[in-house]
Structure formats: C-alpha cells, structure tokens
C-alpha cells in the first residue's frame, strides 16, 4: 500500500474559522481521507477531538472563541501522540507551537499539506 492510500484510512479534524478556506480545503481533505470532522473555532475543535479521537489534527491559529494554540495545549493534556499540523498566514514564533508536528504557511499549497499529512502518517506508524 502506498502512502496516499494510507491517507484513506485516516480520520482528520480540520479547524478553520475562515468560511471559504474551511469549505474548499475541507473538500480537498475529505476526498483523501476516510473521515473528516470540521470545526470553525478551537472550542468546537476541542469538543470534536475529545469526542471523535481523530488520527491527525489540522488547525488554524488565529480564530475566535479559542485560538489554535489554546486548543493544541488542551489537546496535549489528553493526547501527546496525535500529530498536529498548523496552518497559518504568519511565519513567526507566535503562530507556531512546539507541540505541533509541522506548519504549513497560507495560502496553502495542496501538495505541501499532503506532504505534511504523509509525514504524520509515518509518525503514527501506519
């Protein structure tokens, strides 16, 4: 089984507050994984994470209600293993986290996101 086929076995939580980005990238991810859970802010993302236990989390940082860094920290309280990919328009330390597996800078190039997801697949041993 090649790496792209392994993506089809994954469940992914995608958290993004920007509607157009959430819809378009959500559709892109959905075609490549078994199941996708989508949230519009960190609070809803955390609730979905605790309920669904996805294999990978992909999250924006700047969001209302609960930002991505806060959500990542809460996720790390219950799971140290789940890979987390940050998507952000900012390339600075404030918009990154040592608890994340990788960072993809916006505007998102789909191939870069797939590469980051494939690295996550390797890190969780699929």
């Amino acid at each position: 089984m090649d790496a792209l086929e392994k993506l089809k076995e994954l469940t992914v939580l995608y958290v993004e507050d920007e509607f157009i980005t959430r819809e378009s990238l959500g559709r892109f991810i959905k075609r490549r994984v078994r199941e996708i859970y989508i949230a519009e802010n960190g609070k809803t993302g955390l609730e979905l994470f605790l309920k669904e236990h996805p294999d990978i989390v992909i999250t924006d940082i700047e969001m209302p209600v609960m930002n991505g860094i806060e959500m990542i920290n809460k996720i790390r309280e219950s799971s140290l293993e789940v890979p987390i990919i940050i998507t952000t328009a900012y390339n600075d330390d404030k918009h990154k986290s040592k608890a994340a597996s990788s960072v993809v800078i916006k505007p998102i190039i789909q191939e870069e996101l797939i590469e980051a997801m494939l690295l996550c697949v390797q890190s969780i041993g699929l």
Side-chain angles (χ1 to χ4, degrees):
M1 177 183 307
D2 78 1
L4 289 175
E5 289 176 354
K6 290 180 182 180
L7 287 181
K8 294 183 187 304
E9 299 176 2
L10 299 180
T11 57
V12 173
L13 170 61
Y14 176 49
V15 188
E16 169 64 59
D17 66 314
E18 194 175 298
F19 177 78
I20 292 172
T21 303
R22 186 174 63 239
E23 290 295 308
S24 64
L25 204 56
R27 280 192 304 272
F28 173 79
I29 296 167
K30 183 177 184 170
R31 290 191 304 265
R32 287 155 178 84
V33 299
R34 181 169 52 91
E35 186 78 41
I36 185 171
Y37 308 102
I38 299 177
E40 67 280 352
N41 62 60
K43 181 179 184 292
T44 306
L46 180 61
E47 291 166 359
L48 276 170
F49 176 82
L50 295 171
K51 178 182 176 199
E52 303 295 345
H53 307 286
D55 299 309
I56 297 174
V57 175
I58 302 171
T59 185
D60 187 18
I61 294 298
E62 293 294 332
M63 297 182 289
V65 185
M66 177 187 286
N67 71 36
I69 297 293
E70 293 169 317
M71 183 189 74
I72 289 168
N73 292 338
K74 294 285 188 188
I75 286 173
R76 286 296 179 235
E77 290 175 12
S78 65
S79 173
L80 295 175
E81 294 82 30
V82 66
I84 299 173
I85 300 169
I86 292 175
T87 59
T88 181
Y90 304 94
N91 194 3
D92 59 29
D93 289 341
K94 179 184 173 200
H95 295 89
K96 295 178 183 172
S97 169
K98 292 187 186 323
S101 306
S102 63
V103 176
V104 177
I105 303 298
K106 295 178 180 178
I108 294 173
I109 297 170
Q110 294 173 341
E111 292 78 17
E112 288 180 11
L113 181 60
I114 291 295
E115 284 178 30
M117 291 173 69
L118 291 172
L119 287 173
C120 290
V121 166
Q122 291 173 344
S123 75
I124 57 179
L126 286 176

